[in-house]
Amino acid sequence: MGSYILNVVCVAFCVGLLEEILPAEYGAKAYVRLLTGLCLLLVMLSPVGKLLEALPDALDEYAAIEEEADGSYEDILRDSLGEVVQGEIAAAVKRDLASRFGVKNERTEVGVMLTEGKELAVERLVITLYGVDIFKDPYAIEEYFARLLSCECVVIVG
């Protein structure tokens, strides 16, 4: 910034000196004044040229940041939605276990694995039975949920 101010002051001094040296009798003084004024204006506007040169790079960086932000928001939304879907499916499976198979919900654990990618689909369902529920038929439970959710279902006795 200091060199910019020094340049403007030096050019202004030179312009003033040139105008004082020129004789007043000739009509060329007005043209020289116009030319020197334009030179001073160009020196004063030189930072604008540097700003305009840097503008495309700044816009590219902004666009890259915008794209990254959009992608991260989509990832956050997909992860949050996946967690909610997993919770709701686990709750629905527990309700279905209680109503169809007589399994008590207090100690039953249900794990839901969703597919990787853009769409949410159940890839694997893991049901862990505890206590008296270990005597339920695991094959019937596996077959029912595998058919219902079109995924792999595993019943573990814990």
Side-chain angles (χ1 to χ4, degrees):
M1 184 72 177
S3 65
Y4 167 72
I5 294 174
L6 185 63
N7 286 342
V8 171
V9 169
C10 287
V11 169
F13 178 73
C14 291
V15 165
L17 187 63
L18 184 63
E19 285 182 12
E20 288 300 319
I21 293 176
L22 283 176
E25 293 90 32
Y26 297 106
K29 189 169 186 171
Y31 297 112
V32 171
R33 185 176 284 169
L34 174 67
L35 187 63
T36 55
L38 288 175
C39 288
L40 184 61
L41 183 64
L42 286 175
V43 169
M44 292 175 73
L45 292 178
S46 66
V48 174
K50 293 176 184 174
L51 175 71
L52 291 177
E53 285 178 13
L55 191 62
D57 294 334
L59 291 177
D60 289 341
E61 289 176 19
Y62 177 73
I65 290 170
E66 190 74 25
E67 288 175 7
E68 288 175 11
D70 289 343
S72 66
Y73 289 139
E74 288 175 6
D75 292 341
I76 292 170
L77 179 63
R78 188 178 323 116
D79 292 343
S80 298
L81 189 60
E83 290 174 11
V84 170
V85 167
Q86 285 175 330
E88 289 299 316
I89 289 175
V93 166
K94 284 184 178 183
R95 285 192 304 268
D96 219 8
L97 280 171
S99 66
R100 286 199 178 270
F101 299 102
V103 174
K104 297 181 179 152
N105 289 337
E106 297 88 34
R107 298 193 58 195
T108 304
E109 292 179 10
V110 176
V112 180
M113 290 177 53
L114 299 176
T115 57
E116 296 289 327
K118 295 207 179 244
E119 60 184 45
L120 292 175
V122 179
E123 183 177 344
R124 187 172 193 197
L125 181 70
V126 179
I127 301 170
T128 307
L129 301 175
Y130 295 100
V132 182
D133 296 328
I134 64 172
F135 298 113
K136 306 292 182 192
D137 183 14
Y139 300 112
I141 295 172
E142 286 176 355
E143 181 184 334
Y144 173 74
F145 284 109
R147 190 172 22 91
L148 180 68
L149 297 174
S150 300
C151 68
E152 178 186 1
C153 179
V154 178
V155 176
I156 301 172
V157 177

